[in-house]
Amino acid sequence: MEYTTQMDAARKGIVTREMEIVAQKEGKTAREIMELVACGKVVIPANKNHKSLNPEGIGQGLRTKINVNIGISRDCFDFDAEIEKAQKAIELKAESIMDLSSYGKTRQFRQKLIEISPAMIGTVPIYDAVGYYDKDIGEITAREFIDIVEMHARDGVDFMTIHAGVNKETVRRFKNNPRLTNIVSRGGSIIFSWMQLTGNENPFYEYFDDILDIFAKYDVTISLGDAFRPGSIHDSTDAAQIEELIVLGELTKRAWEKNVQVMIEGPGHMPLSEIAANVLLAKKLCHGAPFYVLGPIVTDIAPGYDHITSAIGGAIAAASGADFLCYVTPAEHLRLPTLEDMKEGIIAAKIAAHAADIAKGIKGAKEWDDRMSQARRNLDWEEMFSLAIDSEKPRRYRMESTPEYEDTCTMCGKMCAVRNMNRILKGEDVSLI
């Protein structure tokens, strides 16, 4: 029996190779994964043309996944440096890489990335349109935007952010409810500007069915972008954000009618007290589709440390039901991240995802922590390093400050509680001198 997409296969009762791989990774049966894909609560972004892909599932009951952003820009267009970042992200086991390139040899970069990456690849086609056509935004036609989407699909992109929730009605709502930080979504600001300059409806909304046909052909997952995500905690959970979310829920059902897998993108900047409610709203209004969040960043006062502010928000969001975290680096709001910035962002996001998985009771999550605790009790440094989410940093710290006794560290020395409890419980003497 033939099928067009993972969702089409699942609805026909077909277990695909990708479903079997995801089931094995998640400790579930292939049939469980198939049923979740069929109802839209899990997606497996897997473009038919992405031959190097090692598939992952995103959604209900699965491990929280993380995404890493890379890409060339007009100010920083070092092709090789961005490929090096991609290779580091793969080494650190990020499940997803988004190519946000907006300048230069974007297609060449994207094709190289898809060729080498076992991680799923996402893009935001509207970023590429401006650089690819080398036109001012108001001169790009609706058809040209759609053509860029098809080119990305043909190249093998597994999921794309499409800002289809911006339409004339949501724009009216935004204008009638002024914000402190306006629109901070890059894609949202571009399409808003295009609409204002041309007077036309958003082509991603107007020609949504055409986009779905492209996505169904290549099995691209649509990630419905949150153009009106809040860019400050002052603007969170406002009229424009919620109006757009309602539209995204309607578009989700239209996508499912064509067997196109859907993710929903979410905020943004948001106080801690609003995160759980926002996850609930997104899940309810968008019919249980997987929820993909940027952060949320929980305070606006920490430039240079937004990998921390977003990890705090991401852990709470994922524990509340979000399924996919977009990493944020220390360079957020300041510059294109360096390789070291990127690594810090990945580790922070992975910590948030794992902490949430423990809270959600994901199979195997707490057991990892238990193995680490056993290694600590045994003062088995090598085992601790091997279990660490990043083995390089703790190993370096240990080597930089060598203790007198191997079974201690330079913080406590012979006063180490673990060392002394091990000894006293074995009936051995304990000397602190």
Side-chain angles (χ1 to χ4, degrees):
M1 188 183 298
E2 294 185 355
Y3 61 89
T4 54
T5 67
Q6 295 292 322
M7 175 172 265
D8 181 37
R11 288 174 167 177
K12 290 175 176 174
I14 300 170
V15 172
T16 66
R17 168 184 164 274
E18 290 79 11
M19 293 175 201
E20 290 175 343
I21 293 170
V22 169
Q24 186 175 20
K25 289 180 177 181
E26 301 289 344
K28 294 184 177 293
T29 67
R31 183 162 190 84
E32 286 175 312
I33 297 298
M34 182 190 75
E35 290 172 351
L36 288 164
V37 172
C39 68
K41 292 181 178 176
V42 162
V43 298
I44 304 176
N47 189 309
K48 296 170 184 177
N49 290 341
H50 187 177
K51 305 304 182 184
S52 61
L53 178 69
N54 187 351
E56 295 283 355
I58 300 168
Q60 181 177 297
L62 308 187
R63 289 177 298 107
T64 306
K65 307 306 188 298
I66 73 158
N67 172 70
V68 172
N69 293 333
I70 62 170
I72 49 180
S73 69
R74 185 174 291 275
D75 289 319
C76 297
F77 48 88
D78 188 332
F79 187 112
D80 293 335
E82 294 305 299
I83 289 295
E84 185 182 2
K85 289 180 189 176
Q87 290 168 332
K88 189 65 175 179
I90 293 164
E91 178 189 324
L92 291 172
K93 297 182 171 58
E95 294 89 1
S96 170
I97 299 172
M98 285 198 81
D99 172 19
L100 306 186
S101 295
S102 58
Y103 174 76
K105 298 178 180 179
T106 55
R107 191 174 193 194
Q108 183 182 344
F109 179 79
R110 180 170 61 252
Q111 290 175 330
K112 176 66 174 177
L113 185 59
I114 291 166
E115 177 189 335
I116 68 170
S117 178
M120 67 185 99
I121 299 298
T123 60
V124 188
I126 196 169
Y127 294 176
D128 191 23
V130 177
Y132 183 81
Y133 292 119
D134 195 23
K135 292 182 180 180
D136 286 334
I137 182 65
E139 296 176 1
I140 300 173
T141 67
R143 186 67 252 171
E144 286 174 328
F145 280 127
I146 307 305
D147 288 345
I148 285 286
V149 170
E150 184 156 21
M151 180 173 67
H152 283 223
R154 192 164 55 247
D155 286 345
V157 171
D158 302 298
F159 70 95
M160 293 185 218
T161 295
I162 302 293
H163 296 92
V166 185
N167 59 25
K168 289 186 176 181
E169 182 56 29
T170 54
V171 166
R172 184 192 66 79
R173 184 78 65 186
F174 163 72
K175 288 181 174 179
N176 288 343
N177 295 271
R179 284 177 154 188
L180 180 62
T181 48
N182 297 315
I183 297 174
V184 300
S185 158
R186 186 175 8 163
S189 68
I190 292 170
I191 202 63
F192 177 86
S193 299
W194 185 89
M195 292 170 69
Q196 297 304 294
L197 290 167
T198 65
N200 296 330
E201 181 58 278
N202 176 1
F204 298 112
Y205 179 77
E206 185 174 3
Y207 301 105
F208 191 65
D209 285 332
D210 292 351
I211 291 169
L212 294 179
D213 289 340
I214 294 168
F215 280 30
K217 179 179 178 180
Y218 296 95
D219 197 3
V220 178
T221 297
I222 191 166
S223 189
L224 290 171
D226 52 338
F228 291 112
R229 71 171 181 262
S232 60
I233 62 171
H234 179 278
D235 294 337
S236 63
T237 323
D238 70 349
Q241 181 195 332
I242 301 306
E243 173 91 13
E244 181 182 35
L245 193 58
I246 292 168
V247 175
L248 298 188
E250 295 168 349
L251 295 175
T252 296
K253 291 194 287 187
R254 287 173 58 184
W256 285 346
E257 287 170 5
K258 295 200 174 191
N259 291 316
V260 173
Q261 301 182 95
V262 179
M263 293 189 291
I264 305 298
E265 297 188 12
H269 293 234
M270 182 160 289
L272 289 171
S273 55
E274 296 180 20
I275 294 173
N278 268 263
V279 175
L280 177 62
L281 271 174
K283 289 282 187 172
K284 293 284 281 185
L285 291 174
C286 298
H287 322 293
F291 193 34
Y292 174 25
V293 294
L294 176 63
I297 288 174
V298 296
T299 176
D300 298 326
I301 63 165
Y305 299 91
D306 277 328
H307 59 310
I308 297 173
T309 63
S310 71
I312 294 167
I316 294 169
S320 302
D323 308 287
F324 193 22
L325 304 181
C326 186
Y327 92 149
V328 173
T329 77
E332 184 77 6
H333 306 111
L334 301 171
R335 69 174 187 203
L336 192 76
T338 64
L339 187 64
E340 186 58 32
D341 293 332
M342 190 196 74
K343 181 181 175 181
E344 288 193 48
I346 291 173
I347 298 302
K350 287 176 75 73
I351 292 168
H354 178 67
D357 286 349
I358 295 169
K360 288 191 282 192
I362 297 297
K363 185 176 181 179
K366 184 175 178 294
E367 286 74 9
W368 184 5
D369 290 68
D370 290 343
R371 293 198 304 275
M372 175 63 87
S373 296
Q374 185 174 10
R376 282 182 171 150
R377 183 194 66 195
N378 296 338
L379 294 167
D380 186 341
W381 303 102
E382 284 303 317
E383 179 68 0
M384 285 185 246
F385 299 151
S386 71
L387 288 167
I389 204 163
D390 169 28
S391 62
E392 179 185 325
K393 188 172 185 178
R395 186 184 297 277
R396 173 166 53 84
Y397 276 22
R398 174 81 177 164
M399 291 178 65
E400 286 174 351
S401 187
T402 306
E404 181 180 0
Y405 300 96
E406 178 61 27
D407 59 351
T408 67
C409 77
T410 54
M411 176 70 180
C412 297
K414 292 177 71 174
M415 294 182 70
C416 172
V418 176
R419 172 183 185 267
N420 293 334
M421 286 301 298
N422 287 346
R423 291 191 173 204
I424 205 74
L425 289 172
K426 290 177 183 176
E428 299 175 0
D429 288 337
V430 171
S431 171
L432 304 183
I433 300 174

